[in-house]
Amino acid sequence: MGVYVDDTVTVYNNPFMLKAKKAALCVKFKMVGKSEVHYLLRMSIKRERKSRTLTISQPGYMEKMLMKFGMENCKSVFTP
């Protein structure tokens, strides 16, 4: 479980445990259960269930750093 100020991210590999933990937290705290996380702590989170992949990126941070060092017009290169 990750907690940042008033945001909580709960992760389990067992959907029944996840549901039980969320229910237990709702008893103690006023909570709003939302859908999957798409953005957290300035990170973009993309989950592809079909291919079983999770991608985390920081496009805003990267753009800020490129601008800071005058590289916003540089050519991109694939890095494995």
Side-chain angles (χ1 to χ4, degrees), residues 31-68:
M31 294 177 49
V32 177
K34 295 193 176 186
S35 62
E36 293 184 8
V37 174
H38 296 287
Y39 195 77
L40 179 70
L41 300 176
R42 298 184 181 176
M43 293 182 284
S44 173
I45 303 168
K46 184 177 179 185
R47 183 176 181 179
E48 294 287 340
R49 290 184 183 272
K50 199 172 196 177
S51 61
R52 299 179 54 88
T53 60
L54 182 69
T55 305
I56 301 173
S57 63
Q58 294 180 293
Y61 176 76
M62 294 306 298
E63 288 174 15
K64 182 179 174 183
M65 289 296 106
L66 288 171
M67 287 177 60
K68 180 178 179 177

Side-chain angles (χ1 to χ4, degrees), residues 4-20:
Y4 180 75
V5 184
D6 63 346
D7 290 329
T8 304
V9 178
T10 310
V11 181
Y12 280 90
N13 61 354
N14 181 324
F16 300 109
M17 285 290 290
L18 176 62
K19 193 173 184 177

